[in-house]
């Protein structure tokens, strides 16, 4: 058995992650997380330009295909972040969303998740299922703590965390500057040792 003091091995394997959407309206629908491909650029642009995405992120209204391509390049080269594309469960091979894993501490074996669902797939349990599945994958690779930070006003994002079994740990006041204003950030976490 690996000594718990041994830092997390990073990056994690970037293999496909597969499972099912259980709950929401997608009972039993196949779920697949995969590497990005060029044909995802269009979906990334549509998703990033959507009003709800821009409201809770730093994305701009004129987010372009070049911006999306630059984002994918940055993620591919990042020493501290990994990106999976959520495959569209209704149109295999299509763009269904993104799931980002950011390294917080190799020593504490802690990572943070960031996510978006393509607008046409929102509200049917997709991201809740993705977060549950990825968290189990991360625990399998010795991650000890998985955390999510979200604006408490972003009810959908907070609901994803809670519905995926994350515990609400607290609210950091004025922790983010977005669109020229401070907002609070709620922290949610699951530990590998949680029951
Ligand atoms: C947040 C986001 C990823 C959720 O994806 P999703 O696939 O629609 O999530 P799910 O369907 O698994 O769950 C959404 C939950 O939020 C709830 N919800 C959605 N909109 C809501 C609202 N305005 N108020 C309250 N709850 C809301 C849904 O009812 C559901 O909860 P339930 O299953 O208990 O009913 C998606 O809305 C999104 O991409 N938003 C824009 C980007 C973003 O905000 N990312 C997070 C940044 S921290």
């Amino acid at each position: 058995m690996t000594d718990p003091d041994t830092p997390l091995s990073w990056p994690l394997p970037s293999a496909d992650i597969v499972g099912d959407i259980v709950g929401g309206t997608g009972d039993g629908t196949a779920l697949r997380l995969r590497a990005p491909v060029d044909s995802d650029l269009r979906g990334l642009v549509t998703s990033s330009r959507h009003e709800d995405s821009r409201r809770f992120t730093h994305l701009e209204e004129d987010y372009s295909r070049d911006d999306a391509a630059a984002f994918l390049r940055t993620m591919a080269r990042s020493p501290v972040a990994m990106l999976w594309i959520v495959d569209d469960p209704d149109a295999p091979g299509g763009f269904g969303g993104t799931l980002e894993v950011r390294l917080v501490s190799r020593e504490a074996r802690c990572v943070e998740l960031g996510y978006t669902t393509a607008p046409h797939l929102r509200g049917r349990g997709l991201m809740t299922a993705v977060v549950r599945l990825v968290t189990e994958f991360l625990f399998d690779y010795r991650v000890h703590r998985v955390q999510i930070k979200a604006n408490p006003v972003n009810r959908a994002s907070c609901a994803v965390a809670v519905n995926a079994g994350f515990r609400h740990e607290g609210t950091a006041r004025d922790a983010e500057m977005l669109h020229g204003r401070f907002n609070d950030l709620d922290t949610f976490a699951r530990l590998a040792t949680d029951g």
Side-chain angles (χ1 to χ4, degrees):
M1 196 174 137
T2 315
D3 185 330
D5 279 351
T6 306
L8 186 67
S9 172
W10 185 272
L12 301 166
S14 56
D16 281 13
I17 306 175
V18 290
D20 295 312
I21 307 173
V22 179
T25 54
D27 275 0
T29 309
L31 186 60
R32 178 176 165 230
L33 279 82
R34 57 167 174 78
V37 290
D38 277 353
S39 55
D40 291 319
L41 292 174
R42 192 160 160 228
L44 255 176
V45 171
T46 304
S47 187
S48 304
R49 283 188 180 180
H50 190 270
E51 188 187 338
D52 286 346
S53 304
R54 285 189 288 111
R55 184 168 170 217
F56 296 114
T57 66
H58 295 273
L59 298 166
E60 303 288 342
E61 196 173 358
D62 59 353
Y63 189 89
S64 67
R65 193 180 163 88
D66 285 349
D67 292 327
F71 168 69
L72 293 185
R73 276 197 306 275
T74 302
M75 293 304 294
R77 292 177 191 152
S78 172
V80 290
M82 298 176 67
L83 179 78
W84 274 270
I85 298 297
V86 180
D87 206 51
D88 185 334
D90 295 341
F95 176 85
T98 60
L99 189 284
E100 211 175 306
V101 180
R102 291 183 284 269
L103 180 64
V104 176
S105 165
R106 280 190 68 207
E107 289 68 30
R109 290 183 277 131
C110 175
V111 300
E112 187 167 313
L113 305 185
Y115 39 71
T116 49
T117 296
H120 69 286
L121 294 169
R122 288 179 191 169
R124 45 184 269 194
L126 181 60
M127 195 47 67
T128 301
V130 166
V131 169
R132 277 189 179 279
L133 190 64
V134 168
T135 301
E136 294 305 323
F137 173 89
L138 295 169
F139 289 158
D140 284 348
Y141 285 94
R142 291 189 68 250
V143 170
H144 177 65
R145 174 184 164 90
V146 182
Q147 64 186 36
I148 293 170
K149 291 187 179 170
N151 184 335
V153 173
N154 191 346
R155 304 278 299 279
S157 184
C158 295
V160 166
V162 170
N163 292 341
F166 284 58
R167 196 175 296 178
H168 181 232
E169 295 185 327
T171 303
R173 295 171 306 142
D174 283 358
E176 183 178 48
M177 170 60 77
L178 191 60
H179 309 308
R181 304 173 80 163
F182 285 114
N183 61 257
D184 296 349
L185 282 180
D186 278 3
T187 299
F188 303 86
R190 266 185 72 185
L191 305 184
T193 47
D194 281 346

